[in-house]
Amino acid sequence: MERHIDMNEVSDGKLYGVNDMAKVGCDDCKGCFSCCQGMGNSIVLDPYDVYRLTTGLDCKFEELLVDKIDLQVVDGQILPNLKMTGEKDCCAFLDANGRCSIHALRPSMCRIFPLGRIYENGSFQYFLQVNECKKKERTKVKIKKWIDTPDIVKNEAFINCWHYFLKDVTGKMPSLPEDTVKQINMYILNAFFVTMYQSNRDFYEQFDERMKVAKEVLKELL
């Protein structure tokens, strides 16, 4: 999701890499789940998030659509996001005690919070969102440890590839016929989300295979 923000207003003025330390430690969010409610459709999922959920919960993408995630248009693309439910508008995966029921499988946007990503020059860095987390007394934690994702180098390469792939596709959409845009949207949704990933295979290999095919298919449409 592309956002145009003033970094001076939302960050501490620094950019971080995975080996840097940042004030993100929140004492295990004890007694707080503010970042898990009232988020609307802003927690957008990427293919690795869906891989984690479908393989970890042993379910299909369509099953998640029943009551856990929604589809929305993000910068011209149809993408899934976590669903907010109930009177308190809480994440559908939050339990009765205000704790995450899928913590080990949580999406990347949840993992990096209160960090954000800024994309520049074909890559990205992290920044600390100083106004988002309700916990005021936070401790410094190494960002790699905070994100808690295996194969962090592969993961960042995937995130970068996915972001700039979508950016390239959506940048060309305004000049395309409506039917072609719809065709592209449905292709990307089915190729990267609906079609099941194999739990016994490396995700990144499967993603690379799908991306290679997608670029050839979309070359004919863009």
Side-chain angles (χ1 to χ4, degrees):
M1 178 182 292
E2 293 251 340
R3 292 191 299 163
H4 300 284
I5 56 177
D6 185 340
M7 291 294 289
N8 293 319
E9 293 181 0
V10 302
S11 77
D12 62 359
K14 301 176 183 177
L15 295 178
Y16 299 90
V18 292
N19 292 312
D20 292 325
M21 305 280 287
K23 285 190 175 182
V24 294
C26 56
D27 195 24
D28 198 30
C29 299
K30 291 178 180 177
C32 179
F33 55 91
S34 294
C35 62
C36 301
Q37 62 183 143
M39 300 303 290
N41 53 15
S42 65
I43 311 301
V44 181
L45 306 179
D46 63 34
Y48 188 42
D49 295 331
V50 169
Y51 167 81
R52 269 180 166 144
L53 290 172
T54 54
T55 58
L57 299 175
D58 191 23
C59 67
K60 295 181 179 179
F61 180 77
E62 293 89 339
E63 293 175 72
L64 293 174
L65 281 171
V66 173
D67 60 355
K68 294 295 188 286
I69 67 174
D70 283 324
L71 293 176
Q72 63 161 321
V73 177
V74 181
D75 301 325
Q77 287 287 340
I78 300 174
L79 298 174
N81 62 269
L82 289 184
K83 187 173 185 176
M84 301 291 140
T85 63
E87 293 182 2
K88 293 185 177 181
D89 199 27
C90 294
C91 172
F93 285 110
L94 211 63
D95 67 21
N97 298 313
R99 306 299 287 175
C100 179
S101 65
I102 55 160
H103 195 259
L105 309 173
R106 65 197 186 280
S108 62
M109 287 186 70
C110 301
R111 286 175 183 272
I112 70 173
F113 186 86
L115 297 170
R117 300 189 191 104
I118 180 168
Y119 294 84
E120 293 179 317
N121 304 317
S123 187
F124 73 89
Q125 290 178 284
Y126 301 96
F127 66 94
L128 181 62
Q129 301 180 88
V130 293
N131 302 314
E132 297 300 319
C133 181
K134 302 299 181 183
K135 293 283 187 178
K136 298 303 180 184
E137 300 299 323
R138 296 194 298 271
T139 57
K140 282 192 173 183
V141 180
K142 194 170 188 176
I143 290 176
K144 182 190 297 184
K145 181 179 179 180
W146 181 252
I147 296 174
D148 185 28
T149 293
D151 298 320
I152 191 67
V153 173
K154 286 185 178 181
N155 183 253
E156 289 199 320
F158 151 72
I159 290 170
N160 206 57
C161 175
W162 180 243
H163 172 83
Y164 285 105
F165 166 70
L166 291 183
K167 185 178 177 68
D168 180 59
V169 172
T170 56
K172 296 174 181 177
M173 281 184 169
S175 62
L176 300 175
E178 185 176 336
D179 287 347
T180 303
V181 169
K182 183 177 180 180
Q183 187 178 353
I184 291 170
N185 277 333
M186 294 310 299
Y187 174 81
I188 291 175
L189 182 65
N190 281 296
F192 292 101
F193 295 103
V194 179
T195 302
M196 290 287 289
Y197 290 91
Q198 299 175 39
S199 60
N200 61 347
R201 287 189 61 205
D202 178 70
F203 163 77
Y204 302 111
E205 289 181 1
Q206 296 180 73
F207 173 77
D208 288 344
E209 290 169 0
R210 297 184 189 201
M211 180 58 72
K212 184 177 180 179
V213 173
K215 286 183 176 179
E216 287 301 313
V217 170
L218 295 180
K219 188 185 297 183
E220 304 299 320
L221 299 173
L222 293 172

